[in-house]
Amino acid sequence: MEPMKNGEDKTIESAMIFDQQTNDQFPKQFIWPKDHLSQTSTEKLNGDVIDLQGFLSHDEDATLLAANLVKESCLSHGFFQVVNHGVDLDLLALAQEHGRSFFKLPLTEKLKCKQKEGSVVGFACAHAQRYREQLPWKELLTFEYHENGTDEVAAEFFNALGSQYKETGLIFQKFCRSMNKLALDIMELLEISLGVDGHKHNYYRQLFEDAVSIVRCNHYPQCNNPELTYGVGPHCDPNALTILYPDQVGGLEVFVDNKWKSVQPNPDALVINIGDTFKALSNGKYKSCLHRVSVNRYEPRLSLVFFLCPKGDKELKAPQDLVDKYGRKEYPDFTWEEFLQFTQKNHRADDKTLDEFTKWLLSSKKPNA
């Protein structure tokens, strides 16, 4: 979809719509079409809650049980939740509190850290700086986390906003460190679940040890006409692994067995989504989670998200024994920088992103006729 001009004006316009809603006319740029992915969710997604305590304490039987549960979920739809995950629940609550406080600030204050053109970092409203239509009903604050010895990047991001954000920066620095550790642990569990030969060599963990991940606070304002729009439309995440901590309002929905099912919030659990990058790294064996977010007529919703992403120039390919096991290589080698730029400039993330990226990548690397 064609990028927008005058991004700051569009951001302000969208934010004002959230603050000045009327029941008379819903803004057309937020209306989503009715198609095969717009059916209403009428069922709850049960199960898929995995206890990580035994795995994290290196219990062999518990690890195999967790790996089998992960495998079952990832073969089906690429979604599961984890409990006893090692992330301090009080820290998660504090991060949510500080995220919520940020979105309560006046728009002029939030715009001090607005996203710059071509960057994913900063404050944005409805991605209005990038798109003209089918805008998501949300505000977002995004920053990066570097796992390379300079893990104070979160604190530095908030400190740049002013001394009053020092505590917020320290909290999110701890949040990022904890989420990154969990993400690498889950990479190890995914490797075990796939039966990668010699998993003790940690093929996936090593691939992400110098990750440059994306961290996001999503705020979904109350909406007078929630049936016309989405907080986030149907899509698969392009990154490798997503860890989500939502509040208790609800709204996350996952596409399972050709129908949308709602995810019931669990205050003790973290939500895990397999992304397109890991689908490729599993040689297509595991599914990338197709999901969306509905909005609420009566109250706002907040979620904290950690998108595990490899370093931009890291070559990404499935382990050779997975390729050998299934007889063919499903996806070409690529870098995260190539995939990210594709989603920023060429294709809006949806349920076909990985396939479209593969076509684009192969065509762009063909020798000139």
Side-chain angles (χ1 to χ4, degrees):
M1 194 169 290
E2 184 181 350
M4 287 297 305
K5 296 181 180 179
N6 301 320
E8 183 172 343
D9 292 341
K10 292 295 181 181
T11 296
I12 294 172
E13 177 185 317
S14 298
M16 291 178 66
I17 287 172
F18 295 155
D19 294 337
Q20 301 171 12
Q21 293 182 67
T22 69
N23 291 319
D24 299 331
Q25 187 174 7
F26 194 76
K28 64 181 182 179
Q29 65 268 38
F30 285 94
I31 296 176
W32 286 69
K34 298 298 179 183
D35 56 22
H36 71 291
L37 291 179
S38 64
Q39 57 190 296
T40 302
S41 170
T42 58
E43 295 183 32
K44 295 178 182 178
L45 181 59
N46 297 315
D48 300 304
V49 178
I50 300 172
D51 191 328
L52 294 185
Q53 185 171 17
F55 163 66
L56 293 175
S57 59
H58 309 291
D59 181 288
E60 188 172 335
D61 291 338
T63 295
L64 291 176
L65 175 60
N68 286 332
L69 292 172
V70 165
K71 182 177 182 178
E72 183 180 339
S73 294
C74 292
L75 288 173
S76 172
H77 44 69
F79 167 91
F80 55 96
Q81 298 185 72
V82 293
V83 294
N84 293 319
H85 40 66
V87 180
D88 187 347
L89 295 175
D90 290 336
L91 173 63
L92 292 173
L94 268 175
Q96 277 200 334
E97 179 184 329
H98 279 255
R100 197 171 284 112
S101 295
F102 175 84
F103 290 109
K104 288 180 180 178
L105 293 171
L107 180 59
T108 52
E109 184 72 12
K110 290 183 283 192
L111 285 173
K112 289 180 180 179
C113 61
K114 65 181 180 295
Q115 283 185 3
K116 297 179 180 178
E117 186 175 352
S119 173
V120 299
V121 174
F123 170 75
C125 189
H127 294 303
Q129 77 280 18
R130 293 175 58 198
Y131 306 118
R132 284 197 178 96
E133 58 188 6
Q134 296 176 37
L135 300 184
W137 192 266
K138 72 170 181 176
E139 299 176 293
L140 52 151
L141 179 66
T142 309
F143 50 97
E144 291 183 331
Y145 176 75
H146 300 187
E147 180 56 24
N148 60 0
T150 58
D151 63 354
E152 294 185 358
V153 64
E156 291 170 0
F157 173 82
F158 284 99
N159 288 343
L161 303 181
S163 58
Q164 66 270 37
Y165 296 102
K166 183 176 181 180
E167 184 182 0
T168 301
L170 291 173
I171 289 169
F172 273 102
Q173 179 180 311
K174 292 177 182 178
F175 170 84
C176 291
R177 195 177 296 150
S178 296
M179 287 295 202
N180 188 75
K181 179 184 181 303
L182 176 61
L184 294 178
D185 287 337
I186 291 176
M187 279 290 138
E188 184 177 336
L189 187 59
L190 287 167
E191 186 165 321
I192 296 170
S193 74
L194 281 163
V196 176
D197 288 344
H199 65 76
K200 292 181 181 179
H201 294 299
N202 293 323
Y203 179 88
Y204 293 130
R205 178 185 282 271
Q206 290 178 11
L207 203 57
F208 291 90
E209 282 183 340
D210 55 356
V212 181
S213 295
I214 297 171
V215 188
R216 179 168 291 162
C217 304
N218 286 322
H219 175 245
Y220 305 94
Q222 170 272 335
C223 180
N224 289 349
N225 298 96
E227 69 282 355
L228 297 178
T229 191
Y230 292 119
V232 182
H235 72 289
C236 299
D237 294 337
N239 58 295
L241 185 80
T242 301
I243 306 178
L244 172 76
Y245 187 63
D247 64 15
Q248 298 303 294
V249 173
L252 177 63
E253 298 170 355
V254 176
F255 200 63
V256 183
D257 300 328
N258 289 316
K259 63 181 74 172
W260 289 104
K261 296 186 180 183
S262 61
V263 177
Q264 299 304 110
N266 180 341
D268 297 326
L270 290 167
V271 171
I272 311 296
N273 290 343
I274 298 297
D276 282 338
T277 293
F278 194 82
K279 180 179 180 179
L281 288 171
S282 73
N283 202 39
K285 184 171 176 63
Y286 281 177
K287 289 189 176 180
S288 183
C289 177
L290 178 58
H291 59 288
R292 69 185 186 186
V293 176
S294 60
V295 287
N296 195 288
R297 186 183 299 274
Y298 304 105
E299 54 186 328
R301 177 178 181 268
L302 183 81
S303 66
L304 308 177
V305 196
F306 185 90
F307 298 100
L308 181 68
C309 307
K311 190 178 178 184
D313 60 358
K314 186 70 66 77
E315 184 180 55
L316 303 175
K317 57 184 177 181
Q320 187 59 43
D321 64 290
L322 276 187
V323 176
D324 295 341
K325 186 182 296 185
Y326 297 103
R328 57 174 288 181
K329 187 173 183 177
E330 295 293 336
Y331 299 97
D333 300 349
F334 63 95
T335 67
W336 170 242
E337 185 175 31
E338 289 173 324
F339 198 7
L340 179 62
Q341 288 304 308
F342 177 77
T343 64
Q344 296 296 302
K345 297 180 179 180
N346 300 79
H347 185 86
R348 185 173 181 175
D350 58 15
D351 58 322
K352 301 179 181 65
T353 306
L354 182 57
D355 290 339
E356 294 300 318
F357 170 67
T358 300
K359 293 176 188 175
W360 174 85
L361 187 66
L362 291 173
S363 65
S364 67
K365 291 187 176 181
K366 283 183 179 178
N368 294 328

